[in-house]
Every structure is written in C-alpha cells, then in structure tokens.
Amino acid sequence: MSQEGLALAVERMRDRGMGPEAVTVFEHYYQQLEEGAHGTIPEDTIEPLADLQELGEVRVSDDDARAALRQTAVIKLNGGLGTSMGMSGAKSALEVKDGLTFLDIIAKQVLALREEWGVDLPLLLMNSFRTSEQSLEILAKYPTLPVDGLPLDFIQSAEPKLLADSLRPATWPQDPELEWCPPGHGDVYVSLLTSGILETLLEKGIRYAFISNSDNLGATCDPEVAAWMVERGLPYVAEVCTRTKSDRKGGHLAVRKADGRLILRDTAMVAEGEEQYFGDIKRHNTFHANNLWVDLSVLRDRMAERDGVLGLPIIVNRKTVDPSDPSSPEVIQLESAMGAAIEVFEGSEALLVPRTRFRPVKTTNDLLVVRSDYFVLDDSSHLVAVGDGPEPFVDLDPAYRLVGGFEKRFPHGVPSMIECTSLRVIGDPVFGRNVRCIGDVLVDGLARVEENAVLEGPRQGSAGDTRTVDQHLKAILSSLDPSPIESVPLTESLGLVVARDVRSRVNLPAFDNSSMDGYAVQASSLEGADESSVRLRIVGEVAAGVDPTFSVGPGEAARIMTGAPIPPGADAVIAVEQTDGSATGSVECRASVSTGRYVRPRGEDVSEGSVIVSAGDVVGPRTIGLLAASGHASVEVHRRPNVVIMSTGTELVPPGEPLGPGQIHDSNSSMLWAAAVAAGASAEIRAAVGDTDAELLAALDDCVANADVIITSGGVSMGAYDVVKSALADKGVEFVKVAMQPGKPQGFGYLSGPGDLRVPIFALPGNPVSSFVSFEVFVRPALRRLMRLAPERRPVDVATLTSGLRSPEGRRQYGRAIVSRNSDGALTCQPLAGQGSHFVADLSRANAIFVVPEAVTDLVAGEKVDVILLDS
C-alpha cells in the first residue's frame, strides 16, 4: 500500500472535519484500490430475478398507508453538480418544467402528500459541500417545509481526489475545492450516521426512509410501498422497472448463487468479455431504478456491527481534477453505489414498479422531453405523460450537450413533442417559437428552424408506399444508433472515430535530450567564447538510449549524440561544428551558448496526462503515430460495422465459375463489398441464395448473429420470384417505391437476432447500376452514421454539362458521368451514353453521378448540374 498517499489523504480528511467513520470507509476503499480490486460480478455466479411483486398488485388500506407514512422520511440525493451537462452549481437548481427547478417540484410533491394524508412527512436533502447553500436558498420559498427538530439537509462526506499515477491527494491551486469529491451516493448511509440524522429520525419515530435521486421527478414517496414494507416487515426494498433496449447500460439486480441474496450489478461490475450477458434484456429483464426504501433501525444495527463500514463494492471513477478542463491531471474518485447495500440487509426484496417512477434527467435529451408538452405537472406536482404513444426518443447533436448550448438553441422553448415518436438533430440549428414535431423527425443541415414550423417525418409503423429520396433517407438515418464503443489495436483503428478523449501516458520527450551532436555543458562555462575560445574538460560521453551516470560541472563538458539524455548539471549543448570535435581530454569551444540551447525539454511536445486525441477525431496515420509515441497500443473507437452482403437469384454464379444456360456472374456482391469497405466498414460476401423464401430466411438466420448490417440485392420488385420482398415483408422490413431513377424499389428494416439484437437490413434492387446508386444514396450515409463519421454524405459540386439530357418528371435522376476540369479549372460533366441500369461497363468508366431534381425534365449543354464525385 502507498502508506504516504493514504496518510496524506487521511490527514486532509481529518483537517476538514470528516468523522472517524468516513475516514475508516475511505481507508477501506483505498486499500481495495491498492490491491487492484475491480468489484466484478461474473455471470456464472448469479441468477436472474424471478417472481417479482408488482406495485400494481399491492393492496393496502388508507389507514395502513397513513400510519406507514407517519414513520417515513423522504431523502433526496442532491450532491450532484451536473458537470456532464456543463453546470457548475447544484443540478437540482436547473429549471426543468414550467419555470420550476427540480427542488421546487420536489418541495411541492412533499407538501401535497402532507395535505392529502395529514402527516408531517419530513424532507431531507443529502447535499454535498458544493450544493448546500444554493439548494437551501431555493427551499426557503416554502416556509412550511421544515419539520420541527429536523434540518432540511445534511452534508455528505468529502474525500480527496487521488492522482491516478501516484494515488496521492491531488492539488489544484486554481480552485482548491476541486481537490475534493463526494464518495458516491453509497455514502448516504455513512453520512446519515456521522451527521446524527439517523439517530434523530429514530428518536422522532421515523423508522423508514425513501431514498432517491433529486433529478428523478418520478420518484415520489408512494404510501402504498411504505405500507407494504411495514406489513411485510422488510428491512430494505429496491424498486425495479421493466428493461428495454434503452436500458441495457443500466444496473440490474440478480440473485447470488452462493447465498441466495439479492445483489446489484452495475456497468462497472461486469466481468471482461461478458457484456453480452449484461445487455441481454430477456435474461435480465428489469433494471435498478435507484429508488430505495430502508428500515433505519436495521441500518443502525448493521452500521454498528460493521464499525460504520457496510462493505459496499468499490467503484473506481476516473476523471480529471477539473471536470471542465480535460487537460487537467487525471484523478481517481473512490465511490460506492447505495443500491449495492441490498446484499447487506437479509430479507431484502425487489418491487416491480411502472416506468412512471423513473423519469431521470441525465442529459439535455431527457431535459427536452420533460420540458415539452409530452409531460404536464398534475395538482400534486407529479410528472404525468399526456401523449398517446411511448415517450419520444431524442438524440441531439453534441452542440446541445451542455445546458448553455441547449438554452441558446431553444431560446423560445422546446418543440411540441406530443405527436412525436423520435427527434434527431444533426448540426446546431436554432429553433424558433412554436415548433411542432410529428412522427420520426430528422433535422439535418439547417441553420435555423423557423417559428411555427411543423417538422413531420414518417410515423412509427406507417406503411406509406411511395417516398421521396429525402424521406427514405431520413427514415433510415433517424432509426440508427451509433456503433458500440470498443477498444481496438492501433493497427485496426485507421479511419475510425475516437469515442473518448485519450490522454498521454508519458511525457514527450520523456526526458531532457539533445537536438544536436555536440557537447553538453553549463552555459555559464562558455561565457566570452565568442571572442576567445574556451577549453572544457571532457568528463564522459552520452549516446542515445544510455542513462548517464555522471554529472557535468563548471568547466566540464560531455560528448553527446542527438536524442541522448542531458546529463545532470548540464543546461545547454554546443554543436560539434562549433568545437574542435575532441573525443577525450578537453574540447575547444569557439562560441558561447544560452541556457537551454539545443535542449529538448521533458514534456515540451506532450505533457503526461494531457489530452492528445479528442473524442470525435478520426484516426489517421499521424494520429496513430502520436498514440503509439504516447504509450497507447489501442484506442477506444466507434466500432467498424461488419456488413454481410448477399445476392439472390438462381441465375447467379460466382465469378470465375463456368456459366450455364441463362446464368450470369454475381457482380453485385463483389461491387457492394468494395463499396462497403471503401466507406470504412468491414464486409463479407455470403453465397447467393435461390428464389424461395425458405432459402433466404435460412441464410439470413445463419448470418444475423455476426452482422451489424445486412445488404441484399435483387428480389425487391413485383415479380413472381422477388424472394426478398415476399420473405421479409412481415419480418420488420418495409418495402417502398422511391421517386428516383434508377433504384425505385427499396426495402429497409430490422431483423431480430439473439439477445434482443436488431440488425439493419437494406434490400436493394438487383440491376447493378440500381444497386450501386442505392448504396451511394442510402447505405453509405448509414454506415458513416453508425461510425459517427462526418460528412455522412459525399459533397455535391456543380459542373457544366457538355451535352443535353432528359430526366423523368417526378423522379430524381442519378446518372453516370465523367467529370473533369477545363483549362479554367471549372468542372465539366459529360453524361455517359449508356444510362441503362444494366450497363456495368459505363458504370466502371464513370467517376461521378449527376443529379437532376424531380421537377426538372430537360437540361441543355452549357447548363449547370449537380454532381457527386465518386473518387474523392
């Protein structure tokens, strides 16, 4: 153990006034950290929850509910600063609904419960040292809120942030308060004890506590749960909700096989390589809502038995000392989760509650939905959904991630969401007043959304048969989630998007070294050498890769090579050209040098712990060089999707094999494979399948578990043997006609795989040109969306036509062309003669696609036309 680091940390905690229990808990976790504890829970040690009691099945009398509520206190965890949303004060001070903050709404909820049930229900905030003053100012507006003999808050413990490299307490003179952190919400039990609140509550006859996060407005004190807990004599109850794909990253409860106790497994507790089990929402079909009910008398007994250390699993939280400054030193915060205490209380139970009790605001995506008209506050200040459909899914551009950027882009309030199923925003448009979103909405490339605008996309489950190109592309892009994050070797990261900031593990250079062949000296030894040469005694030689074991004093020099470490005592280098080049004895120096001359200082290029690559950067050769030099053999990126390509038709024969009557070589698979790889994905070709539904479905079942995207070509029209359409029309794939030429018939949807896997599938037409154009217009942007690569679509240029062309009315034409530059440097476009969808030779010759809008039918030579360059 780093006794010095621990001793310094403990001394600082005592100087700050932390109680002995808080210090003991910190020492407990520090020792676990030193011993390399990770707190993982392997899948083979647990069983899923089963046979849960549902809140809707609980039946209690009003008298029992009132009696239970008289013995209950509401405790809100209120130490969060909302730094992930760009806030510096209490997160609960954020206006969240109808001009009210979280704390305003919580106060109104408690006061409404008091009035309804005729009880003095206490409210206590567990504040951090940075949230108390601001929070109490807000609650001061409610003079009847305090209960006699009880404060409105108690302060949770504080502990030093630890430098990641040494485990010594961090120092940050710019803001010394940033040297401290709260020890996670598992500290609520220790803080209740050390603050004296635990004993005070019990003395006042308050035996039970309902504990929840202040940013979860659905977490209200339900008298039925309190009465059920009292009736059953339960020491601890954890609320859980039914899990959806959106909750795959949330912690869940399970049964430990060794002793049958309920335990909490959070993301940080998943054993390496077992992420698929953690994310399997069919196996672990509920998630932990972080709403807890605790018998305070049992808690007091457990704390006494364990000397104040409940022994909750450790959480190692890595951050920077200043969360708003990614270049500040990396630190470790030792934390625990309050929900992990479920294993400490024998006889604990889980209660399945409706989703309405889980309405957290963790991001500005959540904030938009809660502020919108999809929710209202009822007479008891409960947050109630009034929309008919499920809660809208929102994915805002990173420009909206922080509250300041969010407010700037919604200056007149958020859009109406009551008819919206999803909203994705790409870019950073400013939204005007009274914007209304309907269906699945994608906002892409706009600088401003005008006031009173109606943004309408296809509704979920709609079966429209004809679409514009833009409508079909929006329907695809709005449904895609980014590829998962994974750590890959540097040699496999080229072209991928970095998912998290990367910090250097070393200083570059790692040590002071020479930038020249010459002699390491003290600069003062060469004073006056410009007028009269100076001789210095040679005391040694330093080559690159050698650690000098001697020092350089006044009147001395060490022969040194480029890149070699500067020996102790030396502070400059004189170039060999300015000396007589002696190797032994003494060296004649014919010039003076300044301090630092030809010395590359340690960390001059990169300082240890500084951000060298930011999230969102695309990995290139130079990026890989920097990562390698900074000590990284791998990098976290958005995964390269694996694309499985499959053509259909009994007439298809693999390239190189002999053709029989009526057969052709399968060119689409090879072409689409190359296009997918060129877009940045990995790809594999599966053998072409025949013209029966059974053959296609069997082939898809065989590959869906290993595919991130599936592309089929052929079989999407109206023919008798169009197998893709007939086999998949009732399998979650929508087939439409798109107003374009070529590529009118299109299919897109999702296939189900193991573990709730949803794999996007593109069903493209079979003619080679149609298939290629469809890939460029729809699949390529989707692959780049998955990888978070920008721009998602190829840029559009303008060229001058060398000959006229005709285009069908009402359909956007994508034609093949050769684009070149004339003598003035302007682009010219020569349409190719063969525009049929089967002309692969002309497709090969083309280096561009010209685009003619739906409303244009004729263009003559000399007119401008939009072109997409394929080889840029």
Side-chain angles (χ1 to χ4, degrees):
M1 182 185 296
S2 172
Q3 293 295 338
E4 183 183 12
L6 177 58
L8 290 171
V10 168
E11 181 182 1
R12 295 191 67 189
M13 290 183 71
R14 287 173 176 158
D15 289 345
R16 193 179 175 98
M18 294 297 104
E21 296 89 352
V23 172
T24 300
V25 171
F26 176 79
E27 290 175 322
H28 169 77
Y29 286 124
Y30 193 102
Q31 181 174 359
Q32 287 193 23
L33 178 67
E34 280 283 278
E35 294 172 352
H38 299 293
T40 57
I41 301 175
E43 184 70 22
D44 61 4
T45 66
I46 58 176
E47 294 284 357
L49 286 182
D51 302 325
L52 288 175
Q53 171 73 57
E54 295 187 30
L55 176 58
E57 298 171 350
V58 171
R59 297 289 182 269
V60 297
S61 69
D62 285 355
D63 289 342
D64 288 343
R66 186 175 293 105
L69 211 55
R70 284 199 181 99
Q71 303 176 71
T72 302
V74 175
I75 298 176
K76 289 290 182 177
L77 307 184
N78 195 55
L81 298 179
T83 53
S84 64
M85 296 172 67
M87 299 177 63
S88 57
K91 181 180 179 182
S92 57
L94 176 67
E95 287 190 7
V96 66
K97 187 71 179 174
D98 299 342
L100 301 173
T101 68
F102 287 102
L103 289 174
D104 286 310
I105 295 172
I106 290 168
K108 288 175 175 288
Q109 289 173 346
V110 169
L111 293 173
L113 276 168
R114 290 182 187 176
E115 183 176 356
E116 180 181 359
W117 292 95
V119 299
D120 286 334
L121 178 68
L123 170 66
L124 295 106
L125 305 180
M126 185 177 80
N127 279 317
S128 71
F129 50 93
R130 296 176 72 92
T131 63
S132 178
E133 182 178 353
Q134 184 181 19
S135 299
L136 293 179
E137 284 180 4
I138 293 173
L139 294 186
K141 293 183 291 186
Y142 306 94
T144 62
L145 195 58
V147 171
D148 287 345
L150 284 172
L152 280 175
D153 82 335
F154 58 99
I155 308 300
Q156 73 177 116
S157 306
E159 64 183 25
K161 298 177 182 178
L162 303 175
L163 292 171
D165 55 354
S166 66
L167 300 188
R168 295 166 61 92
T171 57
W172 194 244
Q174 296 91 318
D175 184 354
E177 281 300 302
L178 290 178
E179 299 169 4
W180 295 85
C181 64
H185 45 62
D187 181 65
V188 64
Y189 308 112
V190 178
S191 293
L192 278 169
L193 178 66
T194 58
S195 66
I197 294 294
L198 177 59
E199 203 59 45
T200 302
L201 288 170
L202 289 169
E203 290 172 356
K204 290 183 67 64
I206 304 297
R207 181 171 175 177
Y208 301 95
F210 171 59
I211 310 174
S212 60
N213 293 319
S214 62
D215 65 0
N216 180 8
L217 293 177
T220 59
C221 186
D222 191 322
E224 290 189 335
V225 181
W228 177 72
M229 185 179 183
V230 172
E231 178 187 339
R232 298 284 302 275
L234 300 175
Y236 183 105
V237 174
E239 296 186 15
V240 298
C241 297
T242 300
R243 216 170 177 206
T244 69
K245 72 181 185 71
S246 300
D247 310 307
R248 283 178 288 190
K249 295 182 180 179
H252 66 81
L253 297 180
V255 180
R256 187 162 54 203
K257 291 180 180 178
D259 56 12
R261 292 208 173 188
L262 294 180
I263 61 172
L264 171 68
R265 182 168 70 165
D266 225 323
T267 310
M269 301 173 183
V270 180
E272 186 175 354
E274 294 194 344
E275 293 80 6
Q276 73 273 23
Y277 301 117
F278 182 76
D280 187 344
I281 66 173
K282 292 183 179 178
R283 176 171 170 79
H284 300 291
N285 56 14
T286 60
F287 70 91
H288 190 256
N290 228 31
N291 303 338
L292 309 178
W293 300 77
V294 180
D295 185 325
L296 296 177
S297 64
V298 178
L299 172 62
R300 179 179 58 184
D301 294 343
R302 294 293 177 274
M303 297 287 282
E305 292 168 5
R306 299 175 179 228
D307 296 324
V309 180
L310 287 181
L312 308 184
I314 187 174
I315 297 175
V316 179
N317 196 350
R318 295 182 180 271
K319 294 190 174 184
T320 56
V321 65
D322 183 349
S324 65
D325 180 4
S327 66
S328 60
E330 185 180 358
V331 295
I332 288 174
Q333 299 178 187
L334 299 181
E335 301 179 3
S336 61
M338 68 172 182
I342 194 168
E343 64 184 80
V344 175
F345 295 86
E346 187 172 355
S348 298
E349 289 199 19
L351 180 67
L352 183 62
V353 301
R355 189 88 180 195
T356 53
R357 293 189 59 76
F358 186 71
R359 301 287 190 202
V361 176
K362 300 297 184 185
T363 67
T364 50
N365 295 332
D366 303 326
L367 180 62
L368 186 149
V369 180
V370 171
R371 281 190 179 178
S372 78
D373 56 359
Y374 182 86
F375 285 111
V376 298
L377 293 174
D378 67 10
D379 293 340
S380 299
S381 294
H382 290 180
L383 194 67
V384 179
V386 295
D388 294 332
E391 184 175 327
F393 172 82
V394 174
D395 181 15
L396 299 175
D397 188 270
Y400 298 77
R401 182 176 66 85
L402 304 182
V403 171
F406 178 90
E407 303 285 14
K408 179 180 178 181
R409 289 162 178 82
F410 294 110
H412 305 294
V414 302
S416 168
M417 301 291 287
I418 200 165
E419 300 172 270
C420 184
T421 47
S422 70
L423 169 64
R424 289 180 184 255
V425 180
I426 301 171
D428 61 345
V430 174
F431 282 68
R433 196 186 313 270
N434 298 328
V435 175
R436 181 178 165 207
C437 295
I438 302 175
D440 291 316
V441 175
L442 174 64
V443 178
D444 188 1
L446 297 178
R448 178 174 178 81
V449 177
E450 299 299 330
E451 67 176 48
N452 301 315
V454 178
L455 307 177
E456 187 166 7
R459 292 177 179 268
Q460 290 181 353
S462 64
D465 189 50
T466 302
R467 290 178 179 168
T468 66
V469 171
D470 295 333
Q471 287 174 336
H472 190 54
L473 180 59
K474 283 187 176 183
I476 293 168
L477 295 181
S478 65
S479 71
L480 297 173
D481 293 324
S483 289
I485 296 171
E486 68 176 4
S487 180
V488 302
L490 295 185
T491 51
E492 298 175 14
S493 66
L494 188 64
L496 297 178
V497 173
V498 176
R500 296 188 178 94
D501 289 351
V502 183
R503 296 176 179 275
S504 179
R505 292 176 174 169
V506 298
N507 287 299
L508 294 179
F511 46 84
D512 294 351
N513 69 88
S514 176
S515 64
M516 296 284 287
D517 290 338
Y519 297 85
V521 300
Q522 290 188 1
S524 59
S525 297
L526 295 180
E527 289 180 4
D530 295 318
E531 290 79 28
S532 178
S533 63
V534 174
R535 278 203 167 269
L536 302 179
R537 184 169 66 90
I538 298 175
V539 295
E541 181 176 292
V542 190
V546 174
D547 185 19
T549 57
F550 57 87
S551 61
V552 174
E556 295 178 341
R559 196 178 181 204
I560 194 166
M561 312 307 163
T562 301
I566 301 295
D571 58 16
V573 171
I574 182 172
V576 68
E577 293 85 356
Q578 295 173 313
T579 72
D580 63 4
S582 296
T584 58
S586 63
V587 59
E588 181 184 8
C589 302
R590 298 187 289 269
S592 62
V593 294
S594 58
T595 300
R597 181 64 170 169
Y598 297 134
V599 175
R600 300 167 178 157
R602 177 176 181 263
E604 176 187 30
D605 184 15
V606 173
S607 59
E608 182 180 357
S610 63
V611 175
I612 51 173
V613 180
S614 299
D617 289 350
V618 178
V619 178
R622 296 179 296 281
T623 314
I624 290 175
L626 174 59
L627 289 167
S630 301
H632 293 275
S634 60
V635 60
E636 286 189 290
V637 293
H638 288 285
R639 189 174 75 197
R640 195 185 307 278
N642 182 48
V643 180
V644 173
I645 295 158
M646 185 184 302
S647 294
T648 62
T650 54
E651 76 278 11
L652 298 178
V653 174
E657 293 188 9
L659 297 174
Q663 292 183 322
I664 60 173
H665 287 121
D666 176 13
S667 62
N668 281 1
S669 292
S670 300
M671 175 183 66
L672 294 171
W673 172 89
V677 171
S682 64
E684 58 179 291
I685 298 172
R686 296 295 177 100
V689 298
D691 289 325
T692 69
D693 291 6
E695 287 177 281
L696 176 62
L697 292 174
L700 291 173
D701 285 342
D702 185 54
C703 72
V704 71
N706 300 314
D708 296 306
V709 175
I710 296 173
I711 303 174
T712 67
S713 66
V716 295
S717 297
M718 303 296 291
Y721 295 99
D722 284 325
V723 60
V724 176
K725 188 172 183 178
S726 64
L728 298 180
D730 61 349
K731 303 289 185 183
V733 180
E734 186 178 16
F735 293 88
V736 296
K737 297 172 184 175
V738 179
M740 62 186 293
Q741 184 187 51
K744 182 178 180 180
Q746 296 287 335
F748 175 76
Y750 286 85
L751 298 181
S752 297
D756 201 45
L757 186 69
R758 293 175 73 245
V759 179
I761 179 171
F762 293 84
L764 308 183
N767 280 320
V769 177
S770 300
S771 193
F772 177 81
V773 168
S774 299
F775 181 95
E776 281 293 319
V777 175
F778 302 121
V779 185
R780 189 176 190 276
L783 294 178
R784 293 179 67 83
R785 166 68 62 89
L786 290 173
M787 292 185 284
R788 284 296 199 240
L789 285 169
E792 293 174 343
R793 284 170 270 184
R794 293 189 192 273
V796 177
D797 292 297
V798 177
T800 301
L801 282 169
T802 60
S803 61
L805 55 84
R806 294 183 60 82
S807 183
E809 184 176 2
R811 296 169 69 181
R812 189 177 302 178
Q813 185 181 12
Y814 294 89
R816 281 83 70 208
I818 296 175
V819 171
S820 57
R821 293 193 181 275
N822 61 21
S823 58
D824 296 327
L827 293 178
T828 62
C829 174
Q830 176 190 345
L832 292 171
Q835 292 294 328
S837 60
H838 60 290
F839 288 159
V840 292
D842 279 340
L843 177 62
S844 176
R845 289 174 56 210
N847 67 351
I849 294 174
F850 65 79
V851 184
V852 182
E854 293 86 340
V856 176
T857 56
D858 292 281
L859 290 171
V860 299
E863 287 194 85
K864 302 293 186 182
V865 67
D866 288 341
V867 293
I868 300 171
L869 302 180
L870 299 175
D871 299 326
S872 59

